[in-house]
């Protein structure tokens, strides 16, 4: 174990980081701040605004709360958050694209404070959306929460993925397989990779002190996606609607602790 990890209350099992009580306290702080950024957007995302305006609001929120937006300049990404609309699966780049009545948009925020990362995303309804879009968001949120619910010491990552996959596919939806959740903490993207599909009992065993994200992407059509020429934006190949939710969690002796739960109770749309 390096001195740096010891200073931050972290030990290691191979490449896997096991976090102690002080690390949990840091993640509670940054998780609440990241969730607060999404809460802040709740009444601001309306028809006629651009996704660049969403990005500006996230950037200003980060500075106000003495945080850094992790996506900004990350591997060449030039914005403070990701905005993924309708058939965009993930990593949509904010731009002058105007939101229209009936759109659904995912906003993905990661903030850094004192070197710790809080990563979360949420779906938003733009004006009045149809029941199909509402239902997909409900299914995706429930799938994420079912995956989180089984994340406890002695379970496996396969248990998490299986819980998500079984529920989503029973609702005649498909799970995107090209992208996954990830370890997080002092590093933005760390081990382990957290697949949103799998077999119960397979994969890495979960240990008390692990931090990672659970962030399933669920499509109403087929699972296949492609990345556009910008190198970031992933879309459904059949242009079917896609949705995503994400929480950062820690594994405790009693089960999962969600660091990024909405302080305002805005867990999934429609929001009050």
């Amino acid at each position: 174990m390096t001195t740096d990890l010891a200073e931050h209350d972290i030990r290691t099992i191979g490449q896997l980081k096991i976090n102690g009580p002080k690390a949990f306290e840091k993640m509670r702080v940054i998780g609440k701040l990241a969730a607060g950024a999404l809460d802040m957007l709740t009444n601001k995302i309306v028809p006629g605004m651009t996704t660049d305006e969403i990005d500006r609001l996230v950037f200003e929120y980060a500075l106000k709360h003495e945080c850094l937006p992790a996506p900004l300049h990350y591997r060449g990404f030039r914005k403070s958050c990701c905005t993924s609309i309708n058939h965009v699966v993930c990593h949509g780049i904010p731009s002058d694209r105007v939101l229209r009545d009936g759109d659904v948009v995912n906003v993905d925020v990661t903030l850094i404070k004192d070197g710790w990362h809080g990563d979360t995303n949420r779906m938003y309804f733009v004006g009045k959306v149809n029941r199909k879009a509402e239902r997909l968001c409900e299914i995706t949120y429930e799938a994420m929460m079912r995956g989180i619910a089984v994340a406890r010491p002695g379970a496996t990552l396969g248990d998490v993925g299986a819980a998500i996959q079984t529920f989503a596919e029973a609702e005649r939806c498909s799970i995107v397989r090209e992208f996954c959740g990830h370890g997080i903490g002092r590093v933005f993207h760390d081990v382990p990779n957290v697949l949103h599909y799998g077999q119960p009992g397979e994969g890495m065993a979960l240990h008390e002190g692990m931090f990672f994200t659970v962030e399933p992407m669920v499509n109403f059509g087929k699972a296949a996606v492609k990345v556009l020429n910008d190198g970031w934006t992933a879309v459904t190949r059949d242009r079917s609607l896609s949705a995503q939710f994400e929480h950062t969690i820690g594994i405790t002796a009693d089960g999962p602790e969600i660091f990024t739960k909405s302080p305002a109770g805005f867990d999934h749309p429609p929001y009050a």
Side-chain angles (χ1 to χ4, degrees):
M1 181 169 60
T2 67
T3 301
D4 180 65
L5 292 178
E7 287 176 354
H8 295 292
D9 196 25
I10 304 168
R11 61 186 179 88
T12 59
I13 301 175
Q15 290 185 310
L16 182 66
K17 295 180 177 68
I18 302 297
N19 299 275
K22 293 179 183 178
F24 270 81
E25 286 298 325
K26 292 290 188 179
M27 290 298 284
R28 291 180 188 119
V29 171
I30 190 56
K32 184 175 181 180
L33 286 167
L38 297 184
D39 285 352
M40 174 271 300
L41 294 171
T42 301
N43 295 319
K44 294 180 168 60
I45 294 180
V46 295
M49 79 180 305
T50 67
T51 52
D52 257 340
E53 290 177 82
I54 295 173
D55 187 72
R56 175 181 57 80
L57 289 168
V58 170
F59 179 77
E60 291 173 353
Y61 174 95
L63 295 188
K64 179 180 178 181
H65 291 85
E66 299 180 333
C67 298
L68 294 173
L72 188 61
H73 304 308
Y74 179 77
R75 296 183 179 178
F77 196 82
R78 301 185 65 180
K79 299 292 181 175
S80 297
C81 66
C82 298
T83 52
S84 303
I85 305 169
N86 297 336
H87 73 290
V88 178
V89 174
C90 61
H91 302 158
I93 304 172
S95 68
D96 59 2
R97 163 76 150 84
V98 175
L99 296 176
R100 299 183 176 86
D101 188 70
D103 285 340
V104 290
V105 58
N106 177 279
V107 181
D108 193 338
V109 169
T110 306
L111 299 183
I112 310 171
K113 190 175 182 70
D114 298 329
W116 294 87
H117 295 71
D119 189 0
T120 184
N121 71 55
R122 209 178 292 171
M123 298 298 297
Y124 297 85
F125 296 163
V126 183
K128 184 172 179 58
V129 306
N130 62 38
R131 179 55 188 154
K132 183 177 181 180
E134 285 186 351
R135 182 62 183 145
L136 180 61
C137 290
E138 291 169 359
I139 291 166
T140 307
Y141 178 78
E142 179 66 17
M144 174 188 68
M145 294 305 292
R146 289 186 181 220
I148 291 171
V150 301
R152 58 187 63 249
T156 69
L157 288 175
D159 295 332
V160 175
I164 293 167
Q165 179 184 10
T166 299
F167 177 75
E169 292 181 352
E171 297 293 331
R172 299 183 179 181
C173 295
S174 59
I175 297 290
V176 173
R177 300 191 176 212
E178 284 85 348
F179 302 97
C180 61
H182 52 88
I184 192 169
R186 298 287 296 173
V187 178
F188 190 176
H189 294 99
D190 207 346
V191 295
N193 289 333
V194 182
L195 305 182
H196 303 117
Y197 60 93
Q199 296 295 321
E202 295 187 354
M204 178 184 288
L206 302 186
H207 300 270
E208 183 179 353
M210 289 175 67
F211 295 160
F212 57 85
T213 69
V214 180
E215 48 182 301
M217 288 140 275
V218 180
N219 299 345
F220 249 142
K222 295 181 180 180
V225 305
K226 64 179 179 180
V227 176
L228 301 185
N229 290 336
D230 60 28
W232 287 100
T233 307
V235 301
T236 54
R237 283 189 175 273
D238 60 7
R239 297 188 66 83
S240 62
L241 201 62
S242 186
Q244 183 186 19
F245 284 89
E246 176 184 19
H247 275 315
T248 294
I249 70 170
I251 304 300
T252 77
D254 298 321
E257 177 178 349
I258 300 175
F259 297 126
T260 49
K261 193 169 180 61
S262 165
F266 297 150
D267 296 304
H268 62 84
Y271 306 114

